[in-house]
Amino acid sequence: MKVNKSCSSLLPVISGVPQGSVIGPVLFILYVNDICTLAPIGVTIKLFADDTKLYTVFRDSISATCLQSCLTAISEWCDHWQLTLSPAKCSVMHIVSARQRSINKNFDYYIGQTKLPVVDYITDLGITYNNRLRFSPHVDRIVAKASLRAKLIFSCFQSRNPNLLSKAFCVFVRPLLEFSSVVWNPMFKQDINKLESVQRRFTKRLKGLRNFSYEARLTHLGLDSLHCRRTKADLLMCYKIINNYTCTQPDSFFTFSSTIVTRGNSRKLNKSHTSSARDGHSFSKRIINMWNSLPDCIVLSKSVDTFRMHVNKMHFSDYCCNTD
C-alpha cells in the first residue's frame, strides 16, 4: 500500500485476498473457484461471491449421504485455507411436492459438529421462496417494506405536487416491488393485488386524484400498472435470451416453432405441456403467448434499447387493474 510517498512493508499473504481493492473480487473468485471440484457426481454447487449453495435431486444413485459428504469436504477445504464458515447462517430446505413431503426429511445435515436447521422458506440473493417454490413470502416482505417507504414520502416531502411525488415513488418505492420480477412474477391473484395495492393507495392520496379510478390516475400520471411493468420486463428478458445478450443458452429456455402462420411474428416459440400450474407459470412458459403475439417490427428489433422503446409504447390493458 502506498500513501503519498510512503509505502508499507511487504508481507506474505497466506490466505484471503486484499480488501477494498479493484482486483479484489477477481482474486477472490480465483481463490475459491476450486471449491466446485469438491462436489461428487449428482451434487451441484452454485457460487455467488461468498455465498454458496448445494443441491441435488435424490434418485436411486444419489442419496442424502452424498450431500453430507460434499458438506464435509467443503468444511475441510475451508479449514485448510483458513476460511471460516458460519453454520448459523446455513440451513437446509427440502423442495418436494405435496405427495412427497416426508421424503428425505429424516436425515440430518452437519457442518462440523453443528446440525443445520430445516426451514420452510429462505431468502436467496434477495428473493424469498418457500419449499413449494412459491414466492408469496417474497411478495409479503416487499409489500410491507414498500408500503412503509411510500408513507414516508408524504412525511419527508413538503410539496404535494402529484407529478413530483409520483416521481419519488418511481425512484424510491417501485424498485423494491420490481427487483428480479422475472424470477418471482406471481401467479396468484391475491399476490398480484397485494403488489398493485401499494401503487393504488399511493396514487389515491395524491392531491386532486382521490375521486379518479385507478386506471384514470395512472393515465393522468403517465404510469403503468405494476402488473403491466412486470410483463414488459418478462418480454425484455425473453428478447435478451433469444438474442444472446445473456450468458444463458436460449435452448435451455425456448424452442422455436417451425409452423408458418400469418399472425404474430416469424420467431414464434413452442409452448410445451406442463404438469402443474406452477410450472406453467414459470418464466419460460408464461411469456410465450405474449411473445408470439408481438409483430415482427418489435421482435426483430436490432438492439435492446429499440426493443424496449417499442414495448414501452404498447398498452397492456388486460394487465391493468381498473377497480379500487
Side-chain angles (χ1 to χ4, degrees):
M1 179 180 293
K2 182 176 182 180
V3 178
N4 295 326
K5 296 182 179 181
S6 300
C7 296
S8 61
S9 58
L10 297 177
L11 291 173
V13 178
I14 59 175
S15 66
V17 297
Q19 294 185 12
S21 63
V22 175
I23 201 173
V26 176
L27 293 176
F28 182 79
I29 291 173
L30 294 174
Y31 186 68
V32 303
N33 198 50
D34 62 324
I35 199 174
C36 297
T37 62
L38 303 177
I41 296 176
V43 177
T44 302
I45 295 182
K46 296 291 186 181
L47 301 177
F48 183 85
D50 61 348
D51 183 81
T52 304
K53 291 175 287 293
L54 309 179
Y55 64 88
T56 188
V57 178
F58 291 119
R59 300 187 179 93
D60 292 339
S61 58
I62 303 296
S63 64
T65 55
C66 292
L67 206 55
Q68 178 59 61
S69 66
C70 189
L71 277 173
T72 302
I74 290 176
S75 180
E76 293 174 350
W77 180 92
C78 290
D79 290 340
H80 176 74
W81 292 109
Q82 302 179 37
L83 290 175
T84 303
L85 286 175
S86 178
K89 296 180 180 179
C90 301
S91 58
V92 177
M93 187 167 73
H94 302 281
I95 300 175
V96 295
S97 65
R99 294 174 297 179
Q100 299 175 315
R101 290 183 179 179
S102 62
I103 293 181
N104 296 315
K105 286 193 174 184
N106 295 325
F107 190 91
D108 294 328
Y109 296 91
Y110 291 84
I111 291 181
Q113 301 299 318
T114 304
K115 178 181 175 182
L116 300 182
V118 177
V119 298
D120 294 328
Y121 65 90
I122 195 170
T123 299
D124 183 13
L125 300 180
I127 308 298
T128 304
Y129 54 92
N130 62 20
N131 55 9
R132 301 291 300 281
L133 290 182
R134 292 178 177 175
F135 298 97
S136 294
H138 181 73
V139 172
D140 292 338
R141 182 173 64 85
I142 63 175
V143 165
K145 190 174 182 179
S147 297
L148 178 60
R149 190 171 294 185
K151 293 178 181 178
L152 287 175
I153 289 178
F154 289 101
S155 301
C156 298
F157 284 76
Q158 292 184 354
S159 173
R160 287 298 177 260
N161 184 298
N163 292 324
L164 173 64
L165 295 179
S166 66
K167 289 180 180 179
F169 179 88
C170 294
V171 172
F172 297 111
V173 179
R174 202 164 63 181
L176 296 176
L177 300 169
E178 296 181 339
F179 171 71
S180 297
S181 65
V182 172
V183 175
W184 55 264
N185 197 343
M187 62 178 289
F188 296 114
K189 189 174 182 179
Q190 62 180 7
D191 290 334
I192 295 173
N193 290 338
K194 284 180 183 178
L195 290 164
E196 208 68 50
S197 68
V198 180
Q199 183 168 264
R200 182 185 290 111
R201 288 195 299 266
F202 182 87
T203 56
K204 196 166 188 175
R205 291 186 62 182
L206 296 178
K207 184 178 180 180
L209 300 182
R210 174 173 291 276
N211 296 324
F212 285 42
S213 68
Y214 180 46
E215 185 177 25
R217 296 199 297 271
L218 294 181
T219 301
H220 179 80
L221 297 169
L223 301 176
D224 287 325
S225 70
L226 298 180
H227 197 166
C228 173
R229 287 180 57 82
R230 291 195 299 273
T231 301
K232 291 181 178 181
D234 281 354
L235 286 171
L236 185 62
M237 180 57 69
C238 183
Y239 175 85
K240 289 180 179 179
I241 292 175
I242 288 174
N243 290 279
N244 295 306
Y245 285 103
T246 70
C247 59
T248 303
Q249 293 298 322
D251 293 345
S252 63
F253 279 88
F254 308 112
T255 57
F256 288 100
S257 174
S258 58
T259 304
I260 301 177
V261 293
T262 56
R263 293 184 179 181
N265 58 70
S266 58
R267 303 194 74 186
K268 288 185 177 293
L269 303 173
N270 282 323
K271 191 170 186 178
S272 58
H273 173 74
T274 55
S275 57
S276 67
R278 182 197 67 192
D279 295 339
H281 189 73
S282 62
F283 165 72
S284 61
K285 301 294 188 301
R286 68 173 181 260
I287 196 58
I288 290 179
N289 289 341
M290 185 64 67
W291 174 267
N292 288 346
S293 68
L294 297 178
D296 267 340
C297 62
I298 297 180
V299 169
L300 300 180
S301 296
K302 299 299 183 181
S303 68
V304 174
D305 289 338
T306 303
F307 181 84
R308 182 187 290 110
M309 179 186 66
H310 285 311
V311 169
N312 284 336
K313 292 180 179 179
M314 297 180 65
H315 298 283
F316 296 89
S317 57
D318 292 341
Y319 293 89
C320 291
C321 301
N322 300 318
T323 59
D324 285 316

